[in-house]
Each structure stands twice: as structure tokens, then as C-alpha cells.
Amino acid sequence: MTKVAEFAIEHSQFLDPSGRATGPLPEFAREPAALIPLYRAMVLTRRFDAKAIALQRTGRLGTFASSLGQEAVVVGLASAMRPEDVLLPSYRETGAQLYRGVSLDELLLYWGGDERGSDFAGPKHDFPVSVPVASQCLHAVGVGYAMKLQREPRVAVCVCGDGATSNGAFYEAINCAGVWRVPAVFVINNNQWAISVPRTVQTAAETLAQKAIAAGVPGVQVDGNDVIAVRHGVAQALARARAGEGPSVVEALTYRMSDHTTADDASRYRSAEAVSERWAADPIPRLRTYLVEAGVWTKADEERLVEEINGEIDAAVERYLKAQPQPPEAMFDYLYAELPRALAEQRAAAAASRGDGHA
């Protein structure tokens, strides 16, 4: 018997759960103060998350997908990207969208069921939230191929969950990306749960990163609760893509501390004890501890930050609650550049049914 191939998956971590460096840090993280913007972004993500859930519970927002405990993944990957890159998110990348310039107001509109929330004033080229599982993986291949054809030094960054890697669209996407060597990075937010299905029973693969191997694509694993490790791993993959070396897969290990969405009750399929154990790896205290011990963060800094962020969120919520809803015919306005005749007639009928004479 002859061995024809051999592979290994590397795992990266720079801060352990106690907030201590496990070794030399990447260049971008060597000055502790440079990590404060990442910390702020993670706190903003968590505070907005809590407010969104409260709004949903009181009937003022639609179904919402929490990213509690996963803030390092979304902030880390977004901070590694350039403005001209394209983000193709799933429904749990609120922190990445905020980091890249989507406003709190726009996010509230989106989760409130208003399509104006997907018309970002900021990163117009980023894709809107993708709810169908793994569909954005295929979109990323198309985006990356267009970038390659146009010889642009840009990268398509697709984010999906562990459950998406069991979907055929994920395999098709990384296979095509590998064959065509498109500039794309597929980030797997492995939070251990595909709604109620645990990671242990949805795939026999030892890691999700190794799924890239069959497509001839590099795959690495990072500690998804260490924002430094996430940013570093994604940055390396982005650099490969920009250099014409093709796509990569980055698996970020984290844990979903919340229900799948506000329409779910995770207590039906996992114990409170199992979740409680995971708080020891919480990404926000991990980075805060490091900053405090490095002498660049204090209790006063924390109090000012929380007050500032709470003010921003409260102001955005007030504007959202005062926003006038769109008329019924607006449902026709967000798919076609020019409406087909049949839909144009339906739109006119919907406008006419309001009885105010506006069409």
C-alpha cells in the first residue's frame, strides 16, 4: 500500500480563556491599545443583541437571530477585511455588518421586516442577509469569479454556520471555488448547533475545516472566542486570495449561548448546565482581561463605553419606532430594476386599494 496524500489541520489561538497570551501576538495586536476598537465593536454587538431581543419580546421587532457568545467571530473577520471586499453574511453576522458600516437604524429596519434595512447607506456592495442556509456560499463563488475576471484585488468573504457545511450548496461552492481559484474566503462560524442538531451528530468529520481538503482548498481552524486568532486566520486567507492563490476555508470554534432565534427554545434540546460551562470561554471578558492587565483599559473606560453605546442604541431605537411604515405596494419595489407588466399591474392595484390616490 502506498500513501498518496497526507493532510493536517492547524489550530490557532493567541489569547486563552483567562485572557493571557499563549505566545507572540500577530503584528496588528502587538500594541494592546490597537485592540480597543475590536473590544468596542464586540460590546456594541452584544448590547445591540440584547436590545433587539427585548424589542422582539415586546412585539416591536420580528424574529431575531442572536450572536451571543460569538462576537469575536463576526468582529474578527470583519476587521480583517478591506472596505472594497464583499461580505456575504448569513443571519448571525450583525457585528460584522456594524463593523463594516451598516447602521443600527438599518439593522433595526431589517429585523423589523422593512426592506429599507437592506439598502445600506454604507457598504453598498456587501450582500444583504441570507436566510436560506448555504445559498450565500454559491453567491460568493460568483462574486469571486467576477473579481477574478476583472482583475480586481478584492475578495468575497462568505460566512456560514456549521449546519451549512452539511448542505450540498457548501460543497458545490468550495469545489467550484477551488477549481476556478477564485478570491474567496469561507468562514465557518462553528457554534456547535444547527438549530437543534448538535455538531456531533450532523457530520462524522473530526473538524469542519478538513472539508476543504476534498475541494483542494486550504482549511484552518481558529479559536472563535479569541478575536485575535479570528482576525489573524481570516487575514492570512485574504492575503492568499489577493495574491492569486485561490480560496480558503476558516473554521472558527465558538458556541451559541442563546436560542437559535427568538422563535426557538433551546431548553428543549440542551441542558442549562451544558450552556453554563461555556461562559468560561466568553470572548468579551477574555479580551477585556487582556486589555486591563496590559494597562490600557480601566473600570472608568468600561463605564464610559457602556454609557456611550447604550446612548447610541437607545437613540437608534427611538428613530426606528418613530419611522413611518412603507405602503403595501412597496413589496414590489426591491427585486426588479423594471417591474414586469404583470407585477406592475399588481403594484398599481395595491396602491389603488389604499384609496388615497397615490400610485
Side-chain angles (χ1 to χ4, degrees):
M1 182 180 294
T2 302
K3 182 182 294 185
V4 296
E6 189 171 15
F7 306 94
I9 299 297
E10 296 182 353
H11 176 87
S12 296
Q13 180 194 73
F14 293 96
L15 292 183
D16 67 18
S18 68
R20 292 182 174 81
T22 59
L25 299 182
E27 185 175 351
F28 75 85
R30 288 176 188 165
E31 174 51 57
L35 299 173
I36 292 176
L38 301 185
Y39 179 71
R40 186 193 191 283
M42 290 165 65
V43 174
L44 173 61
T45 301
R46 181 165 294 187
R47 292 264 164 179
F48 175 80
D49 196 285
K51 178 63 74 172
I53 292 174
L55 289 169
Q56 191 280 330
R57 297 305 191 205
T58 53
R60 295 178 290 176
L61 204 68
T63 300
F64 180 74
S66 171
S67 59
L68 181 65
Q70 300 161 72
E71 296 87 357
V73 176
V74 293
V75 170
L77 70 91
S79 66
M81 297 172 66
R82 293 179 181 173
E84 64 268 25
D85 293 333
V86 175
L87 176 68
L88 296 97
S90 71
Y91 41 76
R92 212 178 297 279
E93 278 69 62
T94 300
Q97 291 182 290
L98 284 170
Y99 197 93
R100 286 184 57 74
V102 178
S103 70
L104 293 167
D105 300 61
E106 289 162 341
L107 286 170
L108 288 167
L109 283 172
Y110 171 79
W111 291 106
D114 191 321
E115 282 297 332
R116 289 174 293 185
S118 293
D119 186 17
F120 319 134
K124 286 284 188 182
H125 51 273
D126 280 3
F127 274 46
V129 169
S130 177
V131 175
V133 175
S135 60
Q136 74 274 24
C137 300
L138 296 171
H139 302 159
V141 177
V143 172
Y145 199 82
M147 292 169 173
K148 180 177 181 178
L149 288 176
Q150 296 174 34
R151 301 179 184 276
E152 297 175 337
R154 306 164 68 198
V155 184
V157 179
C158 172
V159 193
C160 65
D162 46 291
T165 68
S166 297
N167 187 299
F170 174 81
Y171 292 100
E172 294 164 10
I174 62 172
N175 183 67
C176 289
V179 170
W180 297 332
R181 294 177 68 82
V182 302
V185 176
F186 299 88
V187 180
I188 303 169
N189 182 356
N190 182 1
N191 64 25
Q192 314 298 322
W193 290 95
I195 308 182
S196 60
V197 181
R199 152 78 175 84
T200 53
V201 301
Q202 66 168 291
T203 178
E206 188 173 356
T207 70
L208 300 184
Q210 72 195 61
K211 294 189 175 188
I213 294 171
V217 173
V220 298
Q221 187 184 83
V222 299
D223 182 342
N225 287 341
D226 173 4
V227 70
I228 298 175
V230 176
R231 175 168 172 168
H232 179 67
V234 173
Q236 287 188 315
L238 288 167
R240 287 191 69 260
R242 276 188 238 284
E245 298 176 16
S248 301
V249 170
V250 179
E251 176 191 5
L253 290 177
T254 183
Y255 194 78
R256 197 191 80 210
M257 304 299 297
S258 63
D259 298 327
H260 174 66
T261 69
T262 50
D264 175 45
D265 178 7
S267 67
R268 295 177 300 167
Y269 51 82
R270 67 182 187 184
S271 69
E273 292 75 20
V275 178
S276 180
E277 293 173 0
R278 296 287 184 157
W279 281 109
D282 189 337
I284 291 180
R286 181 185 303 204
L287 181 56
R288 181 172 60 239
T289 297
Y290 177 76
L291 295 175
V292 169
E293 293 187 354
V296 298
W297 197 250
T298 66
K299 181 179 179 181
D301 292 326
E302 184 74 16
E303 291 172 349
R304 280 193 296 270
L305 176 64
V306 170
E307 182 179 3
E308 175 188 323
I309 286 176
N310 285 346
E312 291 178 12
I313 294 173
D314 289 344
V317 169
E318 185 175 356
R319 291 190 295 270
Y320 162 70
L321 294 176
K322 290 180 178 179
Q324 292 299 309
Q326 297 189 88
E329 63 270 20
M331 72 177 80
F332 297 95
D333 296 343
Y334 296 94
L335 184 58
Y336 294 97
E338 183 175 344
L339 276 179
R341 179 178 176 180
L343 292 181
E345 292 173 352
Q346 292 179 42
R347 187 188 189 285
S353 70
R354 289 194 286 118
D356 58 7
H358 292 88

